[in-house]
Amino acid sequence: MGGAFLAAALLARLGGRIGLPTIPLFILAGILLGPHTPGIVLLSDPHDLEMLSALGLVLLLFYLGLEFHLDDLKAGGRRMAMAGGAYLLLNVGAGLGFGFALGWGTSEALVLAGVLGISSSAIVTKVLVDLGRIGNPETKPILGIIVVEDIFLALYLAALQPILSGADSLSAAVLDGGKAFGFLLLLALAARFGTKVIGRLINTRDDELLVISFLGAAVFMAGVSEWFGVADAIGAFMVGLMLGSTTSGERIMKLVHPLRDAFGAIFFFAFGLSIDPGDLPSVVWPVLAAVAVTLAMNVLAGLAAARIYDFGSGPAANISMTLLARGEFALILATMAAGAGLDERLSPFIAGYVLVLAVLGPFFAGRSHLVARLLPDREKPPQLV
């Protein structure tokens, strides 16, 4: 564990000197020191970090919930739904078409629709924090799209699970989906009407007790969410959403920072451990094609969101490039696909695709002003002739 932290920190320090983002460097540290790469092997079994990696994801999404206040949801619910719907329609639709074009099978195409269609909440959160864009106007639609994606993610996993498991019972599939939707509705009602009660329960002057309380609540709700068939990250996000609106919200945000940074690094490091570089050459062309499709769809989705929110080319480029990265959800789907015995090319394809976009996403997000020059700017005044 100490070696994992130190290796991630060393590469991040070196990369920071030349302007590289930390996320792909944490992943690279995992690849270089994992069981699939010759040389020093810190961990022969990536599952040894499974719980700590999950904790990193929970804390990243919990922090995202703290930043996304309920007032933002109330004020921009309609536009948020429109922007998120447009993003999903373009990216999931393109992913499904790409999956069928590869000809690997229907189940494989459904998996690829999710892989290409859903952004990495963890990486998006880290990018926003690293670039200091939390307070930017376009950050609200970015977070809104992430929320819509997370809701879709929960329903998508619930619907996909019986398909991949080979279940032929429609009633079982409907039951699983209904259970997930019901739990999401319960969380939404708690966030809407239970904030005051939750605030009284969590409030304490002792920082130690506050840390233990919010950490326990986030992790516990993540576990309960998973039990109901909902992604664990959504449970953590909803807890952050509730606590961010309480009187303790600002203190919690300060106290969670070091925990988020430390365990977030382990999440990305563990992701790198799972990648076998030897499998990547066999799927290099499909990966590059998928990256091109995702880049094109993200630009279109960014323009659509900018139009909905009356933004210009700069915010449109920020939205497009910030949401470009793919990550934890794709890895979940890769694990599900492997367990279901689907095409063996899926796992290396997903690993390569996620790794490329984990590098390109933060890189392009930090240079979105260059992309903005290529986009039409709706804020420019009309030219007088």
Side-chain angles (χ1 to χ4, degrees):
M1 176 56 56
F5 275 115
L6 290 174
L10 178 61
L11 278 180
R13 281 172 176 266
L14 293 175
R17 293 181 179 274
I18 55 176
L20 290 178
T22 58
I23 295 166
L25 294 169
F26 291 154
I27 296 172
L28 180 61
I31 294 174
L32 295 177
L33 299 173
H36 307 296
T37 304
I40 300 173
V41 177
L42 280 182
L43 287 160
S44 57
D45 185 1
H47 292 291
D48 289 343
L49 287 181
E50 189 171 9
M51 181 58 71
L52 292 171
S53 173
L55 182 58
L57 177 60
V58 164
L59 289 171
L60 284 166
L61 270 294
F62 174 71
Y63 183 83
L64 181 62
L66 289 172
E67 289 284 1
F68 199 84
H69 298 296
L70 283 171
D71 291 339
D72 297 329
L73 285 173
K74 296 173 187 175
R78 182 173 175 271
R79 292 196 294 182
M80 181 185 76
M82 290 174 62
Y87 189 91
L88 288 172
L89 181 64
L90 287 167
N91 284 274
V92 175
L96 185 63
F98 181 82
F100 281 121
L102 285 180
W104 292 354
T106 301
S107 295
E108 287 79 359
L110 291 172
V111 170
L112 289 173
V115 170
L116 271 67
I118 306 295
S119 305
S120 168
S121 299
I123 296 179
V124 169
T125 306
K126 191 71 166 57
V127 166
L128 289 173
V129 173
D130 286 351
L131 296 178
R133 293 180 180 172
I134 290 294
N136 285 16
E138 70 273 10
T139 297
K140 288 185 179 180
I142 289 173
L143 297 181
I145 290 171
I146 289 294
V147 171
V148 173
E149 282 186 320
D150 284 345
I151 295 171
F152 172 80
L153 181 156
L155 300 176
Y156 185 77
L157 283 179
L160 191 62
Q161 183 62 50
I163 296 174
L164 295 185
S165 63
D168 54 2
S169 172
L170 180 61
S171 60
V174 171
L175 180 63
D176 289 341
K179 185 173 69 172
F181 181 78
F183 182 68
L184 283 174
L185 183 61
L186 184 64
L187 287 178
L189 290 174
R192 176 66 179 85
F193 300 107
T195 303
K196 291 184 179 179
V197 175
I198 294 168
R200 294 192 193 101
L201 293 174
I202 201 77
N203 188 39
T204 175
R205 294 181 179 179
D206 190 316
D207 284 349
E208 180 184 13
L209 293 178
L210 186 58
V211 169
I212 295 171
S213 298
F214 74 67
L215 185 59
V219 176
F220 179 76
M221 192 54 66
V224 173
S225 298
E226 197 170 63
W227 187 79
F228 273 97
V230 177
D232 53 2
I234 294 181
F237 173 84
M238 295 302 291
V239 172
L241 190 65
M242 297 176 207
L243 297 184
S245 300
T246 66
T247 55
S248 303
E250 291 187 7
R251 286 176 59 209
I252 293 173
M253 194 173 296
K254 292 178 181 178
L255 292 169
V256 79
H257 262 263
L259 294 171
R260 180 206 67 191
D261 291 342
F263 289 99
I266 290 299
F267 170 78
F268 296 113
F269 180 85
F271 170 34
L273 291 176
S274 67
I275 296 176
D276 185 350
D279 292 337
L280 300 180
S282 63
V283 292
V284 62
W285 293 115
V287 165
L288 294 178
V291 168
V293 168
T294 303
L295 184 59
M297 291 301 104
N298 263 55
V299 170
L300 292 177
L303 289 171
R307 186 175 184 84
I308 292 169
Y309 283 85
D310 293 323
F311 290 150
S313 60
N318 284 347
I319 294 170
S320 301
M321 298 301 104
T322 303
L323 292 168
L324 184 61
R326 301 295 187 262
E328 63 278 1
F329 179 53
L331 296 181
I332 293 171
L333 285 174
T335 302
M336 292 173 61
L342 300 186
D343 196 300
E344 293 181 354
R345 291 170 289 186
L346 267 180
S347 291
F349 168 84
I350 293 173
Y353 171 76
V354 170
L355 180 59
V356 171
L357 285 183
V359 174
L360 292 183
F363 179 82
F364 282 148
R367 293 158 179 80
S368 57
H369 60 283
L370 300 177
V371 179
R373 297 177 184 175
L374 306 176
L375 302 180
D377 193 343
R378 298 181 67 247
E379 291 182 337
K380 289 182 179 179
Q383 298 292 324
L384 298 178
V385 179

